[in-house]
Amino acid sequence: MQRQSSYADDKGKLYLVPTPIGNLEDITIRAKKVLTDADYIAAEDTRTSGILLEKIGVHNHMLSFHKYNSKQRAPELVQLMQEGAVIAEISDAGMPVISDPGYILVQECIKNNIPVVPLPGPSAFTTALIASGFDAQPFTYYGFLPRKAGEQKPYFEKMAAAHATSIFYEAPHRLVKTLKNMATVFAPDRQIVAARELTKIHEEFVRGTVAELNDYFAENAPRGEFVMLVSPSTAETKKLTWPELIKLVDEQVAQGESKKFAIKKVAQLNNVSKNELYDQYHQNRGN
Ligand code: SAM
């Protein structure tokens, strides 16, 4: 077991600092302060971050930390923190670690008892999720999918069966191909959303079926940055019988959920009435 106290003292720690995903006003007051006060800023691309830091008025020493040097760099940064340095880690945009470098450094800090202090802030997938119109609980975030159609397919099959909103990142030049591939797996009425250029002037949400988005983007070449979202499955869950649903409630309870919460969750995920499931559960299991 290990306990971390993030604010016990001021020295020798790693701050994970989110930066804007488009709109510079999304930098938080705290993020700016941490970036200004840190001894070093570890940045994925010092040139890209240099432009951002200049714009938000932060002037500080930068060190490069990216996926190609992370294995060698992490122990060096850890040594600096062991000597008392405060390091603020940023990526090109959004949350460090989320489809970006940082994970190895976080692991290395934990191994060496160096506090890792996360700051809340912008990330493309949470920003897209809250405006998608899909239920945000539960959701699965996949990051970037593999590029080859054959390798993407198992992911789409998983999303098609999932009772959760699925989210992934996609590059604009691959979007049309990916949509074509999705069309071979998803039911014709399955709803998806393409969230484009979030927080920027051309921010746009394209909502519809896979075929509708396929047609739209075949005509309107995708431009900018994209988050793709797939609605949770409802069709499959309607087929579950009462004994099967009761078993699902039992499983949730065995995992430590209260009966009330488990019934609500199973009912919601399976598109059945909470009250009916409650009655069925108590008729079968008693109180
Ligand atoms: N760390 C970032 C985060 O917290 O979202 C993600 C970095 S990942 C290398 C970059 C991808 O995130 C882009 O290719 C795109 O799919 C997505 N993304 C980043 N900014 C975006 C934006 N403003 N609108 C839509 N998608 C965005």
Side-chain angles (χ1 to χ4, degrees):
M1 198 190 89
Q2 184 197 42
R3 289 179 68 214
Q4 171 197 319
S5 183
S6 298
Y7 306 112
D9 62 56
D10 279 348
K11 282 289 153 198
K13 63 180 76 168
L14 175 72
Y15 281 95
L16 298 171
V17 183
T19 54
I21 56 168
N23 189 327
L24 293 184
E25 292 183 1
D26 291 333
I27 191 84
T28 67
I29 296 167
R30 184 174 173 214
K32 216 170 136 177
K33 183 171 176 355
V34 168
L35 290 172
T36 304
D37 294 349
D39 295 303
Y40 302 98
I41 297 174
E44 187 184 2
D45 181 330
T46 50
R47 257 194 309 174
T48 307
S49 294
I51 297 168
L52 169 79
L53 295 176
E54 181 68 38
K55 283 183 182 162
I56 61 172
V58 171
H59 304 280
N60 207 338
H61 310 288
M62 269 195 282
L63 299 169
S64 91
F65 181 78
H66 47 73
K67 71 174 173 189
Y68 302 107
N69 73 1
S70 61
K71 284 226 167 83
Q72 163 226 327
R73 219 33 165 158
E76 293 168 7
L77 298 183
V78 163
Q79 193 177 341
L80 284 173
M81 289 182 271
Q82 280 170 331
E83 288 162 7
V86 170
I87 298 184
E89 206 222 321
I90 57 176
S91 62
D92 285 355
M95 277 281 173
V97 186
I98 301 296
S99 296
D100 264 331
Y103 169 65
I104 286 173
L105 184 56
V106 170
Q107 266 196 334
E108 203 63 27
C109 286
I110 293 169
K111 237 195 280 170
N112 289 281
N113 284 314
I114 292 167
V116 178
V117 188
L119 266 62
S123 191
F125 81 88
T126 46
T127 308
L129 176 63
I130 57 171
S132 66
F134 300 150
D135 199 344
Q137 287 83 226
F139 73 82
T140 306
Y141 168 68
Y142 289 93
F144 288 100
L145 301 182
R147 294 176 188 195
K148 290 190 183 143
E151 289 171 18
Q152 281 184 347
K153 228 166 175 174
Y155 286 88
F156 292 144
E157 278 159 0
K158 207 166 163 194
M159 292 179 200
H163 307 303
T165 297
S166 304
I167 313 171
F168 62 97
Y169 287 165
E170 189 51 292
H173 59 279
R174 282 200 292 270
L175 188 70
V176 171
K177 253 195 191 160
T178 297
L179 284 166
K180 281 204 166 63
N181 202 17
M182 289 174 83
T184 65
V185 176
F186 289 97
D189 60 345
R190 194 64 173 266
Q191 295 295 305
I192 64 169
V193 172
R196 184 172 90 85
E197 293 288 88
L198 293 162
T199 77
K200 303 183 203 174
I201 191 89
H202 295 296
E203 177 175 290
E204 184 179 37
F205 293 86
V206 186
R207 302 182 170 95
T209 63
V210 177
E212 283 167 343
L213 266 71
N214 220 331
D215 290 348
Y216 176 79
F217 285 113
E219 298 267 305
N220 306 276
R223 287 211 182 87
E225 299 191 278
F226 282 86
V227 181
M228 299 299 296
L229 304 101
V230 178
S231 60
S233 161
T234 49
E236 296 89 331
T237 55
K238 281 182 192 146
K239 290 181 206 141
L240 292 188
T241 60
W242 289 119
E244 285 166 336
L245 292 169
I246 288 164
K247 210 168 146 218
L248 287 180
V249 175
D250 285 340
E251 282 167 15
Q252 296 284 318
V253 172
Q255 282 170 28
E257 299 286 15
S258 71
K259 269 185 212 163
K260 197 175 159 197
F261 183 79
I263 288 169
K264 190 175 155 202
K265 191 165 151 191
V266 170
Q268 211 173 36
L269 283 175
N270 292 277
N271 229 4
V272 296
S273 145
K274 183 180 69 182
N275 292 341
E276 243 181 295
L277 181 57
Y278 183 90
D279 290 344
Q280 289 286 340
Y281 186 83
H282 286 284
Q283 274 168 27
N284 279 273
R285 295 283 186 265
N287 286 316

